[in-house]
Amino acid sequence: MTGTAALVLGIETSCDETAAAVVAGGVDVRSSVVSSQVDLHAAFGGVVPEIAGRAHLELLTPVVAEALGRAGLSGGADLAAVAATVGPGLIGSLLVGVSEAKALSLAWDLPFAGVNHLEGHLFAALLDHPGIGWPVAVLLVSGGHTLLVSMEGPGRYRLLGQTLDDAAGEAFDKVARFLGLGYPGGPAIEAAAAAGDPGAFAFPRAMLDDGLDFSFSGIKTAVVHAVRAAPDATDEDVAASFQQAVVDVLVAKTVRGALSSGAKGLCLAGGVAANEALRGALTATADELGLPVYLPSRAMCTDNAAMIAAAGWWQLEHVGPTPLDAGAHPDLRLPLLAADGAAAGGGPVARTGRARYR
Ligand code: KG4
Ligand code: ZN
């Protein structure tokens, strides 16, 4: 590899989006194709792993061809590397992307980068804001994870807080399901909330004044009780009140984490970061504090392959390629700095191994 114009093909198949993208030099998105399987899973109210794996098998080759085509490429000749998500995620889905990426890297004689999906989300903001001043406090809120991280630069992460139970996106999905608003829950709640009163119900703000960890299992139960006690309540009011409670907690903890870690800015990542109420509230609070906010575009918050190509480019430049005998890791954790500031893992295998949070 490499250099600032090196073209990396990224592949993302960890959950229910089949995605491929071409990114130059880690920041310049030449193409980003996301084929959502939402319609296939909606009838079941959530992602069905077997269906996801099979759909990735069918969709990935055309999605990769589309990404190459939109970037003006017809094959691998002008690419510098192939990157793919190796975890965390659904094993059957991950293996489809990892196998395709390895096959392409062998066929085209290109280095392979196995990328941590969570680290990919952290790179999404860099695509739109390459000049970030470090460190930044990043709130990573997705369907499976809620992490508050001090990012000292690419590859340098300290954990500030995390959820003790459900992820923020999971709470959106469960409440939407209970209200019958459909799957995926986040966009459905956001749409309903737009016509509701966020003050209609005083849902609990768990651990609001207490530390940097989160808890979202109680609010789901509170919503169920509130709706049973007030059967005439509108979905819009319940959705707006629920969203407000979650946003209040997310913003309070992110700001607290930023202040306690000496952050020079704030950042959002992950699917829930597409939520306009969260984006607006965090921006307003940060403005009052005089801290810049780096928001990825909404398309870069939810799962996509451009963030994987960006993280893969950085990894290849600074860590090196991933051996082709490395596998997929459904429970992969974010690689964290050791207490002495040493980067987690000495090489690509360690980086794709199972580092522990604590
Ligand atoms: O990052 P992501 O696309 O996939 C995972 O890595 O999990 O995040 C998906 C999660 C789902 O829980 C979805 O309901 C939530 O992000 N989400 C949202 C919004 N868009 C997606 N939550 C709130 N508001 C949204 N607009
Ligand atoms: Zn994700």
Side-chain angles (χ1 to χ4, degrees), residues 67-135:
L68 292 173
R70 286 196 205 171
L73 306 173
S74 53
D78 294 317
L79 288 173
V82 182
T85 302
V86 294
L90 302 168
I91 185 66
S93 294
L94 289 166
L95 283 171
V96 175
V98 171
S99 310
E100 173 103 358
K102 287 180 181 176
L104 292 176
S105 90
L106 267 178
W108 292 335
D109 194 21
L110 295 172
F112 165 65
V115 173
N116 183 313
H117 180 81
L118 301 171
E119 194 165 19
H121 274 302
L122 296 182
F123 271 76
L126 305 188
L127 291 167
D128 292 314
H129 310 280
I132 290 179
W134 311 109

Side-chain angles (χ1 to χ4, degrees), residues 57-326:
L57 266 180
E58 280 175 25
L59 293 168
L60 185 54
T61 301
V63 164
V64 167
E66 177 85 22
L68 292 173
R70 286 196 205 171
L73 306 173
S74 53
D78 294 317
L79 288 173
V82 182
T85 302
V86 294
L90 302 168
I91 185 66
S93 294
L94 289 166
L95 283 171
V96 175
V98 171
S99 310
E100 173 103 358
K102 287 180 181 176
L104 292 176
S105 90
L106 267 178
W108 292 335
D109 194 21
L110 295 172
F112 165 65
V115 173
N116 183 313
H117 180 81
L118 301 171
E119 194 165 19
H121 274 302
L122 296 182
F123 271 76
L126 305 188
L127 291 167
D128 292 314
H129 310 280
I132 290 179
W134 311 109
V136 289
V138 192
L139 176 70
L140 198 178
V141 267
S142 69
H145 296 85
T146 299
L147 300 174
L148 183 55
V149 172
S150 173
M151 185 170 178
E152 298 180 357
R156 298 183 61 82
Y157 320 113
R158 286 182 202 281
L159 185 71
L160 300 174
Q162 62 186 315
T163 185
L164 304 178
D165 40 54
D166 290 354
E170 196 178 348
F172 273 91
D173 293 335
K174 285 178 174 171
V175 168
R177 189 172 183 169
F178 169 70
L179 294 175
L181 297 177
Y183 159 86
I189 295 268
E190 180 168 16
D197 172 9
F201 294 89
F203 291 130
R205 273 83 169 147
M207 301 163 61
L208 184 67
D209 301 315
D210 177 20
L212 299 174
D213 286 334
F214 306 82
S215 169
F216 292 110
S217 64
I219 191 166
K220 176 192 65 199
T221 315
V223 169
V224 172
H225 286 312
V227 169
R228 291 201 175 132
D232 294 336
T234 66
D235 287 348
E236 288 76 11
D237 281 352
V238 176
S241 303
F242 162 78
Q243 179 175 272
Q244 188 63 53
V246 173
V247 166
D248 283 353
V249 173
L250 293 177
V251 170
K253 303 262 177 183
T254 306
V255 168
R256 185 177 302 141
L259 296 177
S260 70
S261 63
K264 295 191 179 124
L266 302 173
C267 204
L268 288 176
V272 183
N275 185 281
E276 287 295 352
L278 174 61
R279 296 164 77 87
L282 189 71
T283 304
T285 310
D287 282 351
E288 284 170 22
L289 294 167
L291 286 171
V293 182
Y294 305 104
L295 299 179
S297 67
R298 293 184 70 169
M300 289 297 132
C301 290
T302 46
D303 286 349
N304 66 85
M307 67 185 195
I308 302 304
W313 176 84
W314 181 86
Q315 204 167 299
L316 288 159
E317 291 277 292
H318 298 274
V319 184
T322 305
L324 286 180
D325 60 358

Side-chain angles (χ1 to χ4, degrees), residues 14-53:
S14 67
C15 191
D16 59 344
E17 319 278 9
T18 312
V22 175
V23 175
V27 288
D28 179 10
V29 181
R30 299 285 173 88
S31 66
S32 178
V33 179
V34 180
S35 175
S36 174
Q37 304 175 6
V38 161
D39 295 348
L40 296 177
H41 302 284
F44 301 94
V47 179
V48 183
E50 279 291 313
I51 294 177

